[in-house]
Amino acid sequence: MKKILDSIELFMLCFTVFVIPIHIKLSSISIGFLVLIALLKKENYSLFLSNFKNYKFWILVFPYILYWIGMIYTPAKHIKAGFQQIEIVSSLLVFPFIFISYSTNSIKNKIELINTALILGVLFSYFICLSIAIPKYISTKDFGILYYSRFSEVIKGPHHLSYHVIIAIIIIVLALFEKTPLLLTKRKYNGVKVILFVVCSVFLFQLSSKATILLYFLCMALIFGYTVIKRIIPLRIVLPIIFTVILLSAFLYSLPNVKMRFNKMFFTLSHKDEINYKSQESTALRLAAFEAGKSIIKENFWIGVGTGELGYALSRYYKHHDFQGAYIKYISPHNQFVRSFAMHGLPGFLSLVAIFVLLFFLALKHSNPLMFLWALIMLVLFNVEDMFGIQDGIVFFCFYTAYFVFNPKDCNVTLSQKSGIYS
């Protein structure tokens, strides 16, 4: 019976991570099955009880508890909005139990299958985007159809889709350098990994999400720098890869639509005194939301405004200060630290800090490069996105974060020690 449940559990985990980039609501089905499987495994009950004494469990779950506490002082007329927020962040509670259950799964090649499922999901989402965009481009000759929101709208917003693409790229590169396992582990498949890397990189730049493109450059620099310094693989292999990445990145960045978005961002940031807060330009909207969030935090430092009140508090601020663009667009803080601080005060902010301290601590303790880069990428994205405000953010974050926290050694595989690929 356990082998059957283990097989179903692994299939559902792979299905979940596969559909997250494609259609987040489909993951609700598999998540429900995963919870059921966790309850059907008799040996899990003792594990669940023991984890109630585990500080890692409480660090992951505490932000969810704050959402319920925040309902106590949410204005009565906004209770419904509060419960909607609690529903969105339920992954904070669910995934720790799912991956505590997964820790007893005895099937081999678990992480290889999960990592490969994510990459296949990203590739399939790219195929869907291309299948819609290319016919439109052929008929209209409008190059803009192949970029940003017009390119990804058939699936989801470009920023949200780019989360999954950047992690897929990191997994592929680390697998190429034998630091994270994939199903394609042998040297003869390195060409396939390079092709996958190029395809996913092009996809990322077509999405034109500024934050994830900057993260792309940062992570590539860290990975290649670490590889050269530690002499993980010979220079005769790593130098051509580095050269290819530099050329590819320079070419993709030079594309008009990508360059235009970065130029607008750099101009806005370098002319902060001239920002038009009535504008609906994306960087101006984000800065307006950040200013509103800071003001709300100052006025509600200790406990915040409550779980269901933040959106209304932001709208009042926009209206009072004539931030027309942000008011019309109903812009959220676009910063999860600001969002949690404004919503639940200092405890909300510290609860997020604790999660990242835990992730970095475990990554360094277990020498897990994928976990370290995951924590770094999420730390940056938490500063530019409301990761707990959308299903795409919270489900993806909770999936891999709970996975790493309760199974920190799973991804820590040096394949060269097993196969001698580069020896």
Side-chain angles (χ1 to χ4, degrees), residues 16-24 27 156 164 392 395-396 399:
T16 300
V17 79
F18 174 80
V19 299
I20 284 175
I22 301 166
H23 199 303
I24 192 65
S27 66
K156 61 184 70 175
H164 320 310
D392 279 295
V395 172
F396 192 50
F399 184 99

Side-chain angles (χ1 to χ4, degrees), residues 109 111-113 115-116 174-193 413-416 418-422:
N109 302 323
I111 183 58
E112 287 93 331
L113 289 166
N115 283 343
T116 303
L174 288 176
L176 191 62
F177 292 152
E178 307 181 59
K179 300 302 292 183
T180 288
L182 280 177
L183 287 181
L184 306 175
T185 57
K186 296 181 180 179
R187 184 177 183 180
K188 65 180 180 180
Y189 296 122
N190 281 350
V192 176
K193 294 176 199 172
V413 178
T414 304
L415 298 173
S416 59
K418 298 164 75 174
S419 61
I421 291 175
Y422 291 113

Side-chain angles (χ1 to χ4, degrees), residues 321-384:
H321 290 83
D322 198 26
F323 286 7
Q324 291 183 13
Y327 183 77
I328 293 170
K329 292 285 189 178
Y330 196 66
I331 294 297
S332 58
H334 279 79
N335 183 310
Q336 187 56 50
F337 290 105
V338 171
R339 181 185 182 88
S340 293
F341 211 142
M343 191 178 287
H344 299 131
L346 184 61
F349 173 76
L350 293 179
S351 69
L352 298 188
V353 173
I355 291 176
F356 283 100
V357 170
L358 176 64
L359 284 172
F360 282 115
F361 169 74
L362 292 175
L364 295 173
K365 178 181 178 180
H366 297 282
S367 301
N368 189 326
L370 179 57
M371 186 178 184
F372 179 85
L373 291 173
W374 166 263
L376 178 63
I377 290 170
M378 288 298 120
L379 180 62
V380 173
L381 289 179
F382 267 53
N383 279 281
V384 296

Side-chain angles (χ1 to χ4, degrees), residues 118-260:
L118 173 64
I119 293 168
L120 291 175
V122 167
L123 292 174
F124 190 67
S125 67
Y126 190 29
F127 171 78
I128 294 172
C129 292
L130 286 174
S131 65
I132 301 297
I134 289 178
K136 288 183 179 180
Y137 170 72
I138 292 173
S139 62
T140 64
K141 305 301 180 185
D142 182 359
F143 206 60
I145 290 172
L146 300 174
Y147 289 94
Y148 198 47
S149 57
R150 295 174 68 189
F151 181 62
S152 70
E153 63 185 357
V154 66
I155 294 180
K156 61 184 70 175
H159 305 299
H160 306 153
L161 186 52
S162 69
Y163 307 159
H164 320 310
V165 181
I166 185 67
I167 298 301
I169 290 171
I170 298 304
I171 290 172
I172 292 166
V173 175
L174 288 176
L176 191 62
F177 292 152
E178 307 181 59
K179 300 302 292 183
T180 288
L182 280 177
L183 287 181
L184 306 175
T185 57
K186 296 181 180 179
R187 184 177 183 180
K188 65 180 180 180
Y189 296 122
N190 281 350
V192 176
K193 294 176 199 172
V194 171
I195 293 172
L196 290 174
F197 167 73
V198 172
V199 170
C200 289
S201 297
V202 172
F203 187 18
L204 183 70
F205 278 80
Q206 283 183 266
L207 293 173
S208 299
S209 173
K210 293 169 285 192
T212 44
I213 289 175
L214 291 173
L215 278 168
Y216 174 86
F217 291 131
L218 174 61
C219 290
M220 291 305 105
L222 288 174
I223 291 171
F224 290 129
Y226 180 81
T227 301
V228 172
I229 292 170
K230 294 293 186 178
R231 298 181 180 179
I232 293 174
I233 61 176
L235 286 177
R236 62 183 172 81
I237 295 175
V238 74
L239 287 179
I241 298 175
I242 293 174
F243 185 68
T244 301
V245 170
I246 292 173
L247 286 180
L248 178 65
S249 301
F251 169 72
L252 293 172
Y253 179 78
S254 68
L255 295 173
N257 293 67
V258 178
K259 194 171 184 179
M260 178 186 67

